[in-house]
PDB file of all heavy atoms in Angstrom:
ATOM      1  N   PHE A 211      51.207 239.724 163.789  1.00  0.00           N
ATOM      2  CA  PHE A 211      52.167 238.627 163.790  1.00  0.00           C
ATOM      3  C   PHE A 211      53.411 239.026 163.001  1.00  0.00           C
ATOM      4  O   PHE A 211      53.345 239.823 162.070  1.00  0.00           O
ATOM      5  CB  PHE A 211      51.532 237.364 163.214  1.00  0.00           C
ATOM      6  CG  PHE A 211      50.476 236.771 164.113  1.00  0.00           C
ATOM      7  CD1 PHE A 211      49.163 237.183 164.030  1.00  0.00           C
ATOM      8  CD2 PHE A 211      50.821 235.812 165.059  1.00  0.00           C
ATOM      9  CE1 PHE A 211      48.191 236.655 164.873  1.00  0.00           C
ATOM     10  CE2 PHE A 211      49.862 235.276 165.897  1.00  0.00           C
ATOM     11  CZ  PHE A 211      48.549 235.693 165.809  1.00  0.00           C
ATOM     12  N   HIS A 212      54.532 238.431 163.396  1.00  0.00           N
ATOM     13  CA  HIS A 212      55.817 238.850 162.836  1.00  0.00           C
ATOM     14  C   HIS A 212      56.703 237.626 162.595  1.00  0.00           C
ATOM     15  O   HIS A 212      56.650 236.644 163.351  1.00  0.00           O
ATOM     16  CB  HIS A 212      56.498 239.818 163.816  1.00  0.00           C
ATOM     17  CG  HIS A 212      57.785 240.382 163.327  1.00  0.00           C
ATOM     18  ND1 HIS A 212      57.899 241.039 162.123  1.00  0.00           N
ATOM     19  CD2 HIS A 212      59.037 240.384 163.882  1.00  0.00           C
ATOM     20  CE1 HIS A 212      59.151 241.431 161.957  1.00  0.00           C
ATOM     21  NE2 HIS A 212      59.853 241.036 162.993  1.00  0.00           N
ATOM     22  N   PHE A 213      57.507 237.679 161.535  1.00  0.00           N
ATOM     23  CA  PHE A 213      58.443 236.606 161.198  1.00  0.00           C
ATOM     24  C   PHE A 213      59.869 237.041 161.493  1.00  0.00           C
ATOM     25  O   PHE A 213      60.253 238.176 161.183  1.00  0.00           O
ATOM     26  CB  PHE A 213      58.360 236.270 159.696  1.00  0.00           C
ATOM     27  CG  PHE A 213      57.075 235.625 159.262  1.00  0.00           C
ATOM     28  CD1 PHE A 213      55.994 236.396 158.852  1.00  0.00           C
ATOM     29  CD2 PHE A 213      56.942 234.246 159.235  1.00  0.00           C
ATOM     30  CE1 PHE A 213      54.820 235.805 158.434  1.00  0.00           C
ATOM     31  CE2 PHE A 213      55.771 233.648 158.814  1.00  0.00           C
ATOM     32  CZ  PHE A 213      54.706 234.428 158.417  1.00  0.00           C
ATOM     33  N   ILE A 214      60.653 236.131 162.056  1.00  0.00           N
ATOM     34  CA  ILE A 214      62.083 236.357 162.236  1.00  0.00           C
ATOM     35  C   ILE A 214      62.829 235.109 161.761  1.00  0.00           C
ATOM     36  O   ILE A 214      62.214 234.066 161.517  1.00  0.00           O
ATOM     37  CB  ILE A 214      62.443 236.666 163.701  1.00  0.00           C
ATOM     38  CG1 ILE A 214      62.048 235.484 164.604  1.00  0.00           C
ATOM     39  CG2 ILE A 214      61.793 237.955 164.159  1.00  0.00           C
ATOM     40  CD1 ILE A 214      62.480 235.668 166.050  1.00  0.00           C
ATOM     41  N   ALA A 215      64.132 235.222 161.625  1.00  0.00           N
ATOM     42  CA  ALA A 215      64.938 234.097 161.137  1.00  0.00           C
ATOM     43  C   ALA A 215      66.068 233.788 162.101  1.00  0.00           C
ATOM     44  O   ALA A 215      66.593 234.689 162.780  1.00  0.00           O
ATOM     45  CB  ALA A 215      65.509 234.424 159.750  1.00  0.00           C
ATOM     46  N   TYR A 216      66.439 232.512 162.168  1.00  0.00           N
ATOM     47  CA  TYR A 216      67.606 232.056 162.921  1.00  0.00           C
ATOM     48  C   TYR A 216      68.572 231.407 161.936  1.00  0.00           C
ATOM     49  O   TYR A 216      68.167 230.545 161.148  1.00  0.00           O
ATOM     50  CB  TYR A 216      67.207 231.034 163.986  1.00  0.00           C
ATOM     51  CG  TYR A 216      66.342 231.584 165.092  1.00  0.00           C
ATOM     52  CD1 TYR A 216      64.957 231.520 165.015  1.00  0.00           C
ATOM     53  CD2 TYR A 216      66.908 232.164 166.227  1.00  0.00           C
ATOM     54  CE1 TYR A 216      64.157 232.018 166.029  1.00  0.00           C
ATOM     55  CE2 TYR A 216      66.121 232.658 167.247  1.00  0.00           C
ATOM     56  CZ  TYR A 216      64.741 232.588 167.146  1.00  0.00           C
ATOM     57  OH  TYR A 216      63.958 233.085 168.154  1.00  0.00           O
ATOM     58  N   ILE A 217      69.849 231.819 162.002  1.00  0.00           N
ATOM     59  CA  ILE A 217      70.834 231.258 161.064  1.00  0.00           C
ATOM     60  C   ILE A 217      72.188 231.072 161.740  1.00  0.00           C
ATOM     61  O   ILE A 217      72.524 231.802 162.679  1.00  0.00           O
ATOM     62  CB  ILE A 217      71.030 232.169 159.832  1.00  0.00           C
ATOM     63  CG1 ILE A 217      71.617 233.525 160.261  1.00  0.00           C
ATOM     64  CG2 ILE A 217      69.741 232.346 159.042  1.00  0.00           C
ATOM     65  CD1 ILE A 217      72.262 234.309 159.143  1.00  0.00           C
ATOM     66  N   PRO A 218      72.980 230.103 161.262  1.00  0.00           N
ATOM     67  CA  PRO A 218      74.396 230.044 161.652  1.00  0.00           C
ATOM     68  C   PRO A 218      75.191 230.858 160.635  1.00  0.00           C
ATOM     69  O   PRO A 218      74.873 230.866 159.441  1.00  0.00           O
ATOM     70  CB  PRO A 218      74.704 228.554 161.527  1.00  0.00           C
ATOM     71  CG  PRO A 218      73.832 228.080 160.410  1.00  0.00           C
ATOM     72  CD  PRO A 218      72.579 228.937 160.434  1.00  0.00           C
ATOM     73  N   PHE A 219      76.221 231.552 161.102  1.00  0.00           N
ATOM     74  CA  PHE A 219      77.029 232.329 160.159  1.00  0.00           C
ATOM     75  C   PHE A 219      78.428 232.539 160.726  1.00  0.00           C
ATOM     76  O   PHE A 219      78.594 233.159 161.781  1.00  0.00           O
ATOM     77  CB  PHE A 219      76.378 233.688 159.873  1.00  0.00           C
ATOM     78  CG  PHE A 219      76.948 234.393 158.675  1.00  0.00           C
ATOM     79  CD1 PHE A 219      76.458 234.124 157.402  1.00  0.00           C
ATOM     80  CD2 PHE A 219      77.989 235.304 158.810  1.00  0.00           C
ATOM     81  CE1 PHE A 219      76.992 234.752 156.287  1.00  0.00           C
ATOM     82  CE2 PHE A 219      78.532 235.930 157.703  1.00  0.00           C
ATOM     83  CZ  PHE A 219      78.033 235.660 156.433  1.00  0.00           C
ATOM     84  N   GLU A 220      79.415 231.989 160.016  1.00  0.00           N
ATOM     85  CA  GLU A 220      80.830 232.161 160.355  1.00  0.00           C
ATOM     86  C   GLU A 220      81.108 231.880 161.830  1.00  0.00           C
ATOM     87  O   GLU A 220      81.753 232.694 162.531  1.00  0.00           O
ATOM     88  CB  GLU A 220      81.309 233.559 159.958  1.00  0.00           C
ATOM     89  CG  GLU A 220      81.290 233.781 158.444  1.00  0.00           C
ATOM     90  CD  GLU A 220      81.945 235.084 158.028  1.00  0.00           C
ATOM     91  OE1 GLU A 220      82.465 235.797 158.918  1.00  0.00           O
ATOM     92  OE2 GLU A 220      81.936 235.388 156.825  1.00  0.00           O
ATOM     93  N   GLY A 221      80.626 230.749 162.317  1.00  0.00           N
ATOM     94  CA  GLY A 221      80.909 230.327 163.683  1.00  0.00           C
ATOM     95  C   GLY A 221      80.030 230.952 164.742  1.00  0.00           C
ATOM     96  O   GLY A 221      80.219 230.714 165.942  1.00  0.00           O
ATOM     97  N   ARG A 222      79.039 231.762 164.326  1.00  0.00           N
ATOM     98  CA  ARG A 222      78.143 232.425 165.277  1.00  0.00           C
ATOM     99  C   ARG A 222      76.693 232.021 164.993  1.00  0.00           C
ATOM    100  O   ARG A 222      76.375 231.539 163.907  1.00  0.00           O
ATOM    101  CB  ARG A 222      78.276 233.952 165.176  1.00  0.00           C
ATOM    102  CG  ARG A 222      79.685 234.467 165.381  1.00  0.00           C
ATOM    103  CD  ARG A 222      79.747 235.965 165.144  1.00  0.00           C
ATOM    104  NE  ARG A 222      81.109 236.489 165.248  1.00  0.00           N
ATOM    105  CZ  ARG A 222      81.440 237.770 165.093  1.00  0.00           C
ATOM    106  NH1 ARG A 222      80.495 238.662 164.818  1.00  0.00           N
ATOM    107  NH2 ARG A 222      82.688 238.157 165.198  1.00  0.00           N
TER     108      ARG A 222
END
Side-chain angles (χ1 to χ4, degrees):
F211 290 88
H212 183 55
F213 292 89
I214 60 175
Y216 294 93
I217 64 161
F219 194 86
E220 295 188 3
R222 304 175 184 180

